[in-house]
Amino acid sequence: MAKTSRFFEIIQILRAADTPLMAKEIARELEVSKRTIYRDIATLQAMRTPIHGEAGVGYIIREGYDLPPINFDQEEAEAITVGLSMVARTGDADLLKAAKRAARKLHDAAPVVDHLLTSSWGVQPSDAVNMKALRLAIREEQKLDIRYRAKTGVDSTRIVLPLALIFYFDNVLLVAWCELRRAFRHFRIDRMTSCRATGDTFVGEGKALREEWDATQRSSTVET
């Protein structure tokens, strides 16, 4: 997490707290060290953010302290609330943590929505695939070496260029260019028995490949 984002999160966490919070509690929430929190709070205090307290005692922010407003209307608030709630169905634990951080940021910017509920039932997390690493590979255009079990039970090893993830209510598909087949393929996450970065990249090619894949979707069904 970037330092500026961490500053924002610390402020939001303190604003939501009813009692002083220890550095270790904030550190656990943001998955960083206590030393990092001590440093960040000292920096925020030097920037005149009204955070009071000290190490060993806990920290609290002055009541009424606010950040520049972002305004959403009722329907926008409903759309955001439902969207963030449904992240729980992706099976991606790190994406869920990010959704919770986003919800904190939006809490004061949107009308309260407590009349739209979503089920948390959905994709089961995979022991073989690190979803955070997979999303990183897509963003940074890193090639992946995957071991895949087809619906027939046959195992194969593929080198793929990961392009996108499609989330369904019960599964997640990786859209990729398969070097073995020289074509676009969809790979079910729950059929991957291993997934790792090869160290090779395809930087600069991802956008064009996604556009080409999208064109194939308009005219035909991509094989799995």
Side-chain angles (χ1 to χ4, degrees):
M1 184 187 299
K3 183 183 292 187
T4 52
S5 295
R6 203 167 58 240
F7 287 170
F8 190 100
E9 288 299 323
I10 290 171
I11 292 171
Q12 293 299 88
I13 290 170
L14 290 174
R15 289 183 66 221
D18 296 324
T19 58
L21 293 178
M22 303 294 286
K24 66 180 180 182
E25 296 174 286
I26 303 173
R28 184 168 55 247
E29 177 75 14
L30 299 183
E31 298 183 332
V32 296
S33 68
K34 285 194 300 181
R35 186 184 297 273
T36 297
I37 297 301
Y38 289 140
R39 261 197 325 261
D40 288 350
I41 287 179
T43 300
L44 285 167
Q45 289 173 327
M47 296 165 60
R48 301 184 181 236
T49 306
I51 297 174
H52 306 290
E54 59 185 38
V57 176
Y59 297 95
I60 195 165
I61 198 165
R62 188 189 69 211
E63 187 176 351
Y65 178 75
D66 210 345
L67 294 169
I70 301 174
N71 296 314
F72 296 95
D73 63 30
Q74 186 66 52
E75 288 197 342
E76 290 169 340
E78 291 177 348
I80 292 167
T81 299
V82 171
L84 290 176
S85 296
M86 293 188 73
V87 172
R89 301 179 65 174
T90 66
D92 188 327
D94 290 288
L95 208 57
L96 178 57
K97 290 177 185 176
K100 289 179 178 178
R101 294 199 302 270
R104 279 200 301 269
K105 292 179 181 179
L106 293 165
H107 178 74
D108 294 332
V112 174
V113 177
D114 58 6
H115 57 282
L116 298 178
L117 306 175
T118 61
S119 169
S120 60
W121 181 85
V123 180
Q124 294 301 307
S126 168
D127 293 329
V129 180
N130 183 316
M131 293 297 291
K132 183 176 182 178
L134 184 52
R135 287 186 281 105
L136 180 65
I138 293 171
R139 289 198 304 269
E140 298 191 348
E141 299 181 341
Q142 301 172 356
K143 292 185 180 182
L144 296 174
D145 181 344
I146 66 172
R147 189 164 182 81
Y148 191 73
R149 180 164 295 162
K151 60 183 177 181
T152 58
V154 177
D155 288 338
S156 63
T157 299
R158 314 281 188 99
I159 302 297
V160 302
L161 282 60
L163 302 174
L165 291 172
I166 304 175
F167 293 94
Y168 293 96
F169 77 94
D170 62 348
N171 214 313
V172 182
L173 296 185
L174 170 66
V175 178
W177 173 264
C178 177
E179 292 192 343
L180 175 66
R181 302 300 184 193
R182 304 303 301 167
F184 295 109
R185 288 292 185 269
H186 289 174
F187 298 96
R188 287 177 54 137
I189 299 300
D190 63 349
R191 287 183 184 162
M192 291 185 191
T193 55
S194 69
C195 177
R196 65 177 183 84
T198 65
D200 295 326
T201 66
F202 56 103
V203 175
E205 301 177 45
K207 186 175 185 297
L209 283 169
R210 272 188 294 275
E211 290 174 350
E212 186 179 344
W213 166 77
D214 185 59
T216 67
Q217 291 295 97
R218 296 172 189 277
S219 59
S220 64
T221 301
V222 178
E223 296 180 14
T224 302

